[in-house]
Amino acid sequence: LNVSFEYYEREKPIPPEEYVRVNHLELKELVTDIYKALGVPDRDAEIVADVLVTADLFGISSHGVQRVRRYVEGIRIKNVNINAKVRVVRDFGTTALIDGDNGLGQPIGVKAMELAIEKAKIYGVSLVLVKNSNHFGIAGYYSLKAVEKGLIGITITNSENLVAYVNTVGRTLGTNPIAVAIPRPSPPPILFDAATSVVPVGKIEIYSKLGKKVPPGWVIDLEGNILSGDAKEVLKAIRSRKAALLPLGGLGEEFGGHKGSGLAFIIDTISGILSGAAWGYHVGHTIGTRPANVGHAFAAINIEAFMDKDVFFERIETYVKEIKSLKKHPKADRIWIPGEKAWLTMQTRLKIGIPLHKNVYNELIQIAREVGVTRELRIIKQQ
Ligand code: NDP
């Protein structure tokens, strides 16, 4: 793939100290086989693997193959329905409501975004809501499906409660991300994809696997004190409901904690309340004792409904150029457009492989053997 600006090898974040590099296709095949071995239909297994490996290609290791175990366990304990009958239960022309029948979130997400794209092609804009779904991984994956067809894609979802609502303690809100993808005349597309908490919990999971420390400002305990230090301990406190992530903006109102929790609340209202799914602390976990009933929303915008595509491209490229020409902060490495770092990381990793921490690699092989998959995962480089 050709990128429209100077290409250089770059990864975000830089790989962990002890890592192995694996080929993305071989990784995808292994992960697909793991889910197939559990009885997941071939196409669905491929989609789950593609979403996970795409996260690693983009440098979002928190939502990459380190999450394979989560869905494996959800399937094993039958809290996720691998034979879900996903169906449209309401259709109003520009809008639809899908019942995911407690299936895997990734294939449901793809189906819902494909419907949103078809509708936006006809009507200009669309909104497809989903109830009775499960965790679907990186929200940006689905928004990019719209970009592939030349449309703007918007994806939001609620998720298991992990975040403290502003001025409260304890886990109430999900990390409820929003992802907006916008086409450009040549790659990379614009992709803004972010949790509405300071960090997603997957980041603390990764820190815990790498033996790293959580910095002050991400987590509060039930007394309202900032919790930091050993990520394993912090993760344990969050999992046992003795601590919560902070919303985007952090503690209190001073730096905008009310805006992060406000955004998460609104995302929950559209994807959870309006869809008929669960909301707030009613949303379950993949490895839970009841269906998670996650809710999502997918929207697509047909640029041609508003202006000629050429005009749009000219305008967005002018805007990007204006941003790129701003006076850079002296300590910043470079001025970035959302999605650029992810795209460059993907280009790099398609070429030289995906770095996996040794613990993540070993866990993956262990899961494969547990479910009866004998396929090897070749190490192409070891550090
Ligand atoms: P990040 O904080 O890593 O990045 C957020 C966005 O900001 C990205 O689009 C990123 O682009 C952009 N960005 C980063 N640095 C800059 C910069 N200097 N200038 C301009 N733009 C920049 O994301 P999060 O950690 O919040 O989220 C990670 C993932 O977790 C997301 O994919 C999200 O969908 C997923 N998630 C999923 C949940 C679920 O329940 N399914 C819950 C919570 C999160 P780039 O990638 O190019 O750096």
Side-chain angles (χ1 to χ4, degrees):
L1 289 165
N2 294 317
V3 284
S4 59
F5 52 89
E6 182 199 356
Y7 170 75
Y8 58 99
E9 255 173 37
R10 170 176 188 109
E11 287 183 287
K12 174 216 83 164
I14 49 165
E17 272 165 30
E18 285 184 87
Y19 71 90
V20 295
R21 254 184 222 280
V22 298
N23 173 274
H24 71 283
L25 291 175
E26 293 172 16
L27 180 60
K28 210 179 324 186
E29 278 164 4
L30 179 74
V31 176
T32 304
D33 280 359
I34 289 174
Y35 291 112
K36 283 206 293 204
L38 289 164
V40 176
D42 291 5
R43 168 109 179 96
D44 290 0
E46 277 162 26
I47 292 175
V48 177
D50 197 43
V51 178
L52 289 167
V53 174
T54 301
D56 279 313
L57 282 172
F58 282 177
I60 315 170
S61 49
S62 57
H63 287 67
V65 296
Q66 76 103 5
R67 279 274 170 89
V68 167
R69 169 76 76 193
R70 174 178 181 160
Y71 307 117
V72 165
E73 291 307 323
I75 293 166
R76 268 179 168 168
I77 64 166
K78 299 198 165 34
N79 200 41
V80 175
N81 177 10
I82 53 172
N83 297 308
K85 302 269 174 294
V86 182
R87 49 195 186 101
V88 176
V89 288
R90 274 180 195 238
D91 195 322
F92 261 65
T94 57
T95 65
L97 173 67
I98 287 181
D99 185 333
D101 193 24
N102 193 29
L104 284 157
Q106 294 86 342
I108 297 172
V110 167
K111 186 178 171 134
M113 184 48 106
E114 281 172 355
L115 182 59
I117 292 166
E118 287 319 307
K119 287 179 173 294
K121 277 187 191 161
I122 302 167
Y123 301 111
V125 291
S126 61
L127 178 63
V128 175
L129 302 188
V130 176
K131 63 177 174 179
N132 293 324
S133 187
N134 276 287
H135 190 269
F136 67 16
I138 51 167
Y141 183 89
Y142 310 93
S143 299
L144 285 172
K145 290 267 167 214
V147 162
E148 280 170 22
K149 303 287 181 206
L151 309 179
I152 294 172
I154 304 170
T155 304
I156 57 177
T157 184
N158 65 14
S159 65
E160 175 208 14
N161 60 312
L162 286 160
V163 183
Y165 189 85
V166 67
N167 293 353
T168 74
V169 296
R171 294 169 35 176
T172 300
L173 300 163
T175 49
N176 307 355
I178 174 162
V180 181
I182 301 169
R184 288 176 68 185
S186 55
I190 293 162
L191 173 62
F192 179 75
D193 179 14
T196 46
S197 48
V198 176
V199 287
V201 75
K203 194 146 190 171
I204 301 182
E205 288 168 13
I206 277 282
Y207 272 40
S208 156
K209 284 179 185 170
L210 305 189
K212 284 175 76 170
K213 285 192 167 33
V214 168
W218 289 6
V219 179
I220 48 164
D221 67 16
L222 292 181
E223 280 69 51
N225 302 312
I226 293 286
L227 197 62
S228 59
D230 183 359
K232 249 192 196 117
E233 292 304 316
V234 174
L235 188 62
K236 214 187 284 169
I238 296 173
R239 288 271 166 245
S240 60
R241 301 182 182 272
K242 292 190 179 115
L245 293 169
L246 281 162
L248 205 54
L251 185 63
E253 297 169 20
E254 194 180 4
F255 296 104
H258 56 296
K259 301 189 203 182
S261 67
L263 266 172
F265 176 67
I266 295 306
I267 287 172
D268 212 357
T269 304
I270 306 296
S271 57
I273 299 270
L274 185 62
S275 68
W279 67 86
Y281 51 62
H282 306 287
V283 180
H285 190 266
T286 320
I287 315 170
T289 49
R290 61 188 162 87
N293 196 5
V294 172
H296 321 297
F298 304 88
I301 301 174
N302 186 344
I303 294 163
E304 302 274 358
F306 300 94
M307 61 175 58
D308 288 349
K309 215 171 211 173
D310 289 352
V311 179
F312 176 79
F313 280 157
E314 207 182 293
R315 289 168 65 83
I316 190 73
E317 289 311 291
T318 304
Y319 194 10
V320 167
K321 269 193 208 115
E322 285 169 2
I323 300 268
K324 290 281 187 185
S325 330
L326 295 172
K327 183 168 189 280
K328 187 173 77 62
H329 187 285
K331 289 190 179 141
D333 64 335
R334 182 170 165 155
I335 299 168
W336 296 100
I337 299 299
E340 262 183 333
K341 280 191 262 180
W343 190 265
L344 285 177
T345 305
M346 179 171 74
Q347 299 308 315
T348 305
R349 292 183 175 181
L350 286 174
K351 220 167 88 183
I352 64 172
I354 293 175
L356 297 180
H357 189 273
K358 281 183 185 160
N359 297 348
V360 174
Y361 177 88
N362 291 335
E363 186 186 45
L364 204 56
I365 299 299
Q366 192 189 328
I367 297 169
R369 303 301 175 255
E370 281 171 24
V371 301
V373 172
T374 52
R375 183 191 280 278
E376 299 294 331
L377 182 57
R378 196 169 51 96
I379 293 172
I380 51 180
K381 188 184 168 195
Q382 192 143 0
Q383 181 98 345

